[in-house]
Amino acid sequence: MRRRSLLLAAVPAGLVTLAGCGDGSSESGKTSASPSASASSAPPPKIVDGPLPAITAGTRFGEKPTVAKGPGDPSENLAVRTAIAGSGRAVAENDFIRADYLGQIWDTAKVFDNSYDRKRPLVMQLAQGSIIDGWRYALQGKKTGSRIEIAVPPALGYGKGGNPQAGIKGTDTLVFVIDLIESFNSKSSAKGTVVPQTDAALPKVGTNTDGQVPKVTVPPRTDPPKKLVSEYVLEGDGPELKADQTVLCQFQGLVWDGGKTFQRTYGSGRLSQFSLEQMQQAVKGLAQGLTGKKVGSRVLLVIPPELGYGDNPPSGGAVKKGSTLVFTVDILAAM
């Protein structure tokens, strides 16, 4: 079983699923696939330069760092230092990030979590209720390609209750080193290489990479395929998805008969994040068709009824009993 990140706040974003998929809400662009991104009514915390412990080994971006014990007493404020300045896109509130990190306790230098050993960077939204506030405030405005070191006081971490699972007391200040690899927002698209679409019996999918909905043309007067179809439209160069991973994506779902859209994220101001394992219980063809595909790709899926909703479609929508489904999915990141 894949270990869950200890950085999750009250709402574990990585476990939110596409339960609303097919509910007929697509025309408004709504999706239930992202956590709430409501702004906090509390003022932002004061951010200071230090003190912060030294990074004594693994000092390059992407290397697992070794961090010294905290020097003396920590600040009561959020301490933030850019150890390596990147030149990529600046991160904003409610963006998703992909990052490697190491976390340890100030007083003891005990490491309680790190992603480097797991070789699966964190994918998480910088939104209230999705991640601890120390990260949410410290990373806003920082550029991808940067290494950021922070010291998080209890009030911006796990509060007075601490995190007993990780051995964190309610009085512990936490130190993190964060390698900010990528960031994504609702205008993100796959950026892969265009793959020729030569099969006249399959839908044609647009290859735009501007974050807008790609046009899908279902071939008229053509019977849908009987078996699952999973084809690249844009082929990325990232790692292949494994069946136990969580995917961050843009997507749209259509019905083969008539080509009507029943749900999408493109143009909605939101992204979708879901577990492939959980998707096996909702739309099997979506999980099966994405497994093995490369991160950074746009994928066309044609899903026969037995791997979609079969004879039990969501009520009141465009999906009917026995509907063949068509999906386009931009695989932005995975963890």
Side-chain angles (χ1 to χ4, degrees):
M1 182 66 69
R2 180 175 58 84
R3 182 182 176 186
R4 290 171 54 188
S5 169
L6 292 171
L7 295 167
L8 298 172
V11 179
L15 299 180
V16 179
T17 71
L18 281 170
C21 184
D23 64 1
S25 63
S26 64
E27 282 68 27
S28 64
K30 295 179 180 178
T31 174
S32 61
S34 294
S36 171
S38 59
S40 172
S41 58
K46 182 179 180 180
I47 296 178
V48 297
D49 295 332
L52 283 162
I55 301 173
T56 58
T59 57
R60 295 180 181 180
F61 185 91
E63 293 181 337
K64 179 183 175 181
T66 301
V67 184
K69 182 180 176 182
D73 294 329
S75 173
E76 295 180 354
N77 299 304
L78 176 62
V80 180
R81 178 177 73 92
T82 300
I84 299 172
S87 59
R89 178 179 172 273
V91 175
E93 174 86 356
N94 299 323
D95 283 359
F96 281 83
I97 60 164
R98 187 168 76 93
D100 271 316
Y101 69 95
L102 177 140
Q104 67 183 44
I105 297 172
W106 176 280
D107 289 334
T108 64
K110 178 184 177 182
V111 175
F112 58 84
D113 195 15
N114 87 89
S115 68
Y116 299 92
D117 290 344
R118 293 193 292 272
K119 302 187 185 302
R120 286 190 179 182
L122 172 79
V123 177
M124 189 68 72
Q125 190 178 24
L126 290 184
Q128 184 184 16
S130 295
I131 198 166
I132 60 173
D133 280 344
W135 274 57
R136 185 163 70 93
Y137 288 112
L139 296 183
Q140 290 180 42
K142 298 298 187 289
K143 293 184 177 181
T144 55
S146 297
R147 167 169 282 191
I148 311 298
E149 184 182 16
I150 66 177
V152 180
L156 297 176
Y158 298 101
K160 295 180 180 179
N163 188 327
Q165 173 192 356
I168 297 170
K169 301 189 298 292
T171 56
D172 284 335
T173 289
L174 309 178
V175 177
F176 292 95
V177 175
I178 304 162
D179 285 337
L180 193 55
I181 302 169
E182 290 182 281
S183 69
F184 309 93
N185 62 20
S186 61
K187 296 182 180 180
S188 297
S189 286
K191 302 291 185 182
T193 302
V194 174
V195 176
Q197 301 175 62
T198 58
D199 191 339
L202 292 179
K204 295 296 184 291
V205 181
T207 57
N208 57 295
T209 59
D210 56 0
Q212 298 301 308
V213 57
K215 182 179 179 181
V216 178
T217 304
V218 178
R221 298 179 297 278
T222 302
D223 292 334
K226 301 296 184 183
K227 295 183 179 181
L228 176 67
V229 173
S230 177
E231 300 285 351
Y232 285 117
V233 176
L234 302 171
E235 185 173 357
D237 58 3
E240 295 181 354
L241 290 177
K242 296 179 174 60
D244 66 342
Q245 289 192 283
T246 292
V247 180
L248 177 69
C249 67
Q250 295 265 32
F251 81 95
Q252 64 178 322
L254 307 92
V255 178
W256 179 283
D257 291 334
K260 184 177 181 180
T261 300
F262 59 87
Q263 196 175 37
R264 67 168 180 254
T265 59
Y266 302 98
S268 71
R270 299 169 74 93
L271 295 176
S272 173
Q273 190 177 22
F274 59 86
S275 159
L276 291 180
E277 288 179 323
Q278 292 183 351
M279 188 54 63
Q280 282 280 6
Q281 309 303 316
V283 182
K284 290 183 179 180
L286 193 55
Q288 293 175 13
L290 291 179
T291 300
K293 289 294 187 280
K294 297 176 183 177
V295 173
S297 300
R298 176 171 297 162
V299 180
L300 165 68
L301 301 170
V302 183
I303 301 175
E306 62 272 17
L307 296 179
Y309 291 107
D311 292 334
N312 298 292
S315 61
V319 182
K320 308 300 181 184
K321 288 184 178 182
S323 288
T324 294
L325 308 178
V326 178
F327 279 92
T328 66
V329 182
D330 282 18
I331 307 168
L332 302 177
M335 67 173 291

